[in-house]
């Protein structure tokens, strides 16, 4: 564990340490819950008998021999007030299908066949190509005769052909990060490292991305670091304290959505989110992320009748600005040719955005050069790559570079 990076908010590989990992004929489990009085692990591997975990520096750990792929498990936490709660693993790679709320062990190995696609990006990066993006919700795009949605593999074969035939060059997947409520369409998550099990396993999801790449299509993922749902098995007041969300009642909730807001000032939370973003780019070969609800992150008064100004007396969430800057820096350090897309429907005055976030805060670490408007999902998109920051309302797009 890189403690300095984790607590400093710069660790992009926390998922390689926390969660459940195969080891010597079993699995090792680690959980960050520094305020819990006790943590026990239970699952299929123990007949749901509780296994005590040991704590060091806020990290609870145990090894379970004989634990195997697709076993379900949960953590049983005793909070400081003595209340016992059952929590899913924040770093789980797989989850039981709703209405079940357990985490699941799952194999991640996969024989990728998208080498030609990866090489093509080196020869001709995405930002030098026409870009025509097809947005899709996997659960409602097409269904079997019985009304059930396609699984990832069926979706892969059907979607690749349809999108290619229609002349699109990229697919944007609405959130597949595990979520409990179908009606949220994935925008209120509980599993930031797990593709939803509604449509299959992690291997099946890798097949979907792989198949789209083999068809010559870029793949972007809607990713939601703005807030999380309040289902008890999730991140809500995880160890009896506001571990992932703000503790300030004027900052901790989006009342209109009924969700909690991540505390971007905590290093452990930033490391959690950075690790999630890098996980999808690395493990699932995403060509970029579409960051959802950026305005709600940037403005302390967003959707609030009462709000607390920042240290300078302004409405900008300086911690969120800093997080987004580090997110882009980390993403582009990993691959300078990916696309980082910010879904933004709240900038009414772009010159204000320029002034505040370029001159004052450094534009999230990217220099603003030119700003085409890209409309998807009803919002303006800001596209940035290393050295550039895109996004301007009501400006025409260079048709030689963008097909929209």
């Amino acid at each position: 564990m890189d403690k300095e990076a984790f607590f400093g908010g710069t660790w992009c590989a926390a998922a390689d340490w926390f969660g459940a990992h195969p080891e010597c004929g079993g699995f090792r489990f680690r959980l960050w819950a520094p305020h819990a009085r006790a943590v026990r692990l239970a699952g299929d591997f123990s007949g749901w008998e509780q296994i005590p975990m040991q704590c060091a520096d806020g990290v609870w750990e145990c090894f379970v021999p004989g634990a195997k792929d697709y076993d379900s498990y949960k953590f049983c936490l005793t909070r400081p007030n003595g209340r016992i709660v059952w929590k899913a693993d924040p770093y789980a790679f797989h989850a039981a299908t709703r209405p079940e709320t357990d985490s699941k062990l799952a194999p991640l190995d996969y024989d990728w066949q998208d080498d030609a696609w990866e090489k093509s990006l080196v020869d001709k990066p995405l930002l030098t190509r026409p870009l025509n993006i097809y947005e899709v919700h996997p659960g409602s795009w097409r269904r079997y005769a019985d009304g059930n949605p396609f699984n990832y593999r069926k979706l892969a074969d059907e979607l690749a052909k349809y999108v290619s035939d229609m002349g699109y060059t990229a697919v944007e997947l609405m959130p597949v990060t595990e979520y409990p409520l179908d009606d949220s369409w994935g925008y209120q998550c509980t599993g930031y490292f797990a593709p939803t099990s509604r449509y299959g396993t992690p291997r099946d999801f890798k097949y979907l991305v792989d198949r789209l790449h083999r068809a010559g299509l870029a793949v972007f993922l809607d990713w939601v670091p703005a807030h999380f749902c309040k289902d008890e098995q999730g991140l809500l007041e995880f160890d009896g304290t506001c571990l992932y969300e703000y503790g300030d009642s004027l900052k901790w909730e989006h009342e209109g959505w009924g969700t909690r807001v991540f505390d971007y000032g905590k290093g452990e939370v930033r490391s959690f989110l950075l690790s999630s973003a890098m996980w999808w780019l690395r493990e699932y070969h995403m060509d970029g992320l579409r960051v959802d609800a950026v305005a709600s992150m940037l403005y302390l008064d967003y959707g609030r009748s009462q709000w607390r100004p920042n240290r300078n007396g302004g409405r900008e969430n300086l911690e969120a600005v800093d997080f987004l800057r580090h997110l882009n820096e980390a993403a582009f350090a990993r691959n300078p040719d990916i696309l980082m897309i910010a879904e933004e429907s709240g900038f009414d005055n772009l010159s204000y955005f320029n002034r505040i976030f370029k001159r004052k805060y450094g534009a999230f670490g990217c220099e603003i050069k030119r700003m085409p408007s890209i409309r998807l999902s009803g919002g303006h998109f800001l596209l940035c790559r290393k050295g550039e920051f895109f996004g301007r309302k009501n400006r025409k797009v260079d048709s030689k570079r963008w097909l929209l």
Side-chain angles (χ1 to χ4, degrees):
M1 176 181 177
D2 189 336
K3 292 183 180 179
E4 182 178 356
F6 179 60
F7 293 113
T10 60
W11 201 19
C12 296
D16 294 334
W17 177 261
F18 290 107
H21 297 274
E23 178 183 311
C24 300
F27 275 78
R28 184 165 297 277
F29 297 81
R30 298 186 184 95
L31 179 72
W32 171 246
H35 302 102
R37 284 170 43 183
V39 177
R40 293 175 175 81
L41 172 69
D44 292 338
F45 40 75
S46 66
W48 288 92
E49 292 292 324
Q50 296 179 21
I51 303 170
M53 302 182 73
Q54 303 302 312
C55 183
D57 298 324
V59 178
W60 297 83
E61 182 173 344
C62 71
F63 174 74
V64 180
K68 62 185 183 301
D69 290 335
Y70 302 112
D71 279 352
S72 294
Y73 69 98
K74 259 187 177 177
F75 296 108
C76 179
L77 282 72
T78 303
R79 289 178 165 176
N81 63 3
R83 184 188 171 205
I84 294 175
V85 294
W86 288 85
K87 290 288 189 179
D89 184 351
Y91 287 88
F93 301 144
H94 191 36
T97 305
R98 51 85 179 97
E100 302 301 321
T101 59
D102 306 332
S103 300
K104 293 182 78 71
L105 305 175
L108 297 175
D109 57 302
Y110 177 81
D111 183 17
W112 288 93
Q113 302 293 319
D114 62 351
D115 290 349
W117 170 257
E118 298 288 343
K119 184 179 184 302
S120 76
L121 294 179
V122 175
D123 298 335
K124 190 174 183 180
L126 285 175
L127 281 173
T128 67
R129 310 180 184 197
L131 188 63
N132 190 17
I133 304 174
Y134 186 80
E135 181 185 26
V136 62
H137 176 247
S140 61
W141 184 66
R142 286 182 181 174
R143 295 176 179 266
Y144 294 106
D146 63 4
N148 288 314
F150 284 176
N151 61 36
Y152 287 128
R153 291 179 181 263
K154 175 68 171 176
L155 177 68
D157 297 330
E158 297 270 344
L159 186 63
K161 182 179 187 308
Y162 177 83
V163 171
S164 297
D165 289 348
M166 292 293 289
Y168 291 94
T169 63
V171 170
E172 177 199 336
L173 296 171
M174 295 173 72
V176 297
T177 40
E178 190 59 79
Y179 58 99
L181 180 65
D182 289 349
D183 290 349
S184 77
W185 283 30
Y187 289 97
Q188 297 186 10
C189 310
T190 52
Y192 277 77
F193 299 84
T196 179
S197 61
R198 287 166 172 79
Y199 320 120
T201 67
R203 283 175 173 167
D204 296 331
F205 183 69
K206 289 182 178 182
Y207 177 84
L208 168 61
V209 179
D210 196 19
R211 180 68 180 83
L212 294 172
H213 280 169
R214 285 186 281 121
L217 299 163
V219 185
F220 307 122
L221 176 68
D222 281 13
W223 183 67
V224 190
H227 59 150
F228 59 86
C229 65
K230 295 195 295 185
D231 294 57
E232 187 173 60
Q233 79 275 9
L235 302 178
L236 177 71
E237 300 174 10
F238 192 83
D239 62 358
T241 68
C242 293
L243 191 63
Y244 287 90
E245 66 266 52
Y246 282 110
D248 185 339
S249 61
L250 295 183
K251 296 173 68 175
W252 71 359
E253 187 158 343
H254 286 306
E255 295 179 3
W257 295 331
T259 55
R260 287 289 172 91
V261 180
F262 282 106
D263 185 346
Y264 308 106
K266 288 182 180 177
E268 310 93 292
V269 174
R270 292 198 303 273
S271 290
F272 172 81
L273 291 172
L274 288 175
S275 296
S276 171
M278 296 309 108
W279 182 255
W280 295 99
L281 294 173
R282 183 191 81 188
E283 189 68 26
Y284 291 101
H285 290 205
M286 290 294 159
D287 300 298
L289 301 176
R290 179 266 203 187
V291 184
D292 184 63
V294 168
S296 73
M297 300 172 65
L298 296 180
Y299 298 113
L300 296 166
D301 61 348
Y302 186 94
R304 296 184 176 94
S305 56
Q306 292 183 309
W307 55 283
R308 194 180 308 284
N310 63 34
R311 62 178 179 267
N312 301 321
R315 60 194 282 256
E316 302 83 32
N317 187 331
L318 306 182
E319 297 156 353
V321 171
D322 187 61
F323 165 72
L324 289 168
R325 182 187 299 120
H326 281 94
L327 170 65
N328 281 338
E329 289 173 355
F332 297 134
R334 186 187 181 281
N335 182 350
D337 294 317
I338 63 169
L339 298 188
M340 294 297 288
I341 306 169
E343 184 269 332
E344 180 38 61
S345 57
F347 290 140
D348 297 324
N349 185 332
L350 196 66
S351 64
Y352 170 81
F353 171 79
N354 256 343
R355 183 173 70 254
I356 293 297
F357 292 107
K358 178 173 185 268
R359 299 178 185 175
K360 190 173 181 181
Y361 302 126
F364 308 148
C366 301
E367 176 188 358
I368 296 179
K369 291 188 175 179
R370 68 185 188 88
M371 303 162 132
S373 172
I374 295 182
R375 298 220 18 120
L376 291 174
S377 305
H380 294 283
F381 277 64
L382 313 172
L383 271 70
C384 66
R385 64 175 177 176
K386 188 174 183 180
E388 299 189 18
F389 193 90
F390 296 87
R392 185 163 187 172
K393 189 175 180 180
N394 298 327
R395 179 167 176 173
K396 291 183 179 179
V397 177
D398 180 354
S399 60
K400 294 181 180 178
R401 293 195 62 176
W402 304 98
L403 270 176
L404 303 169

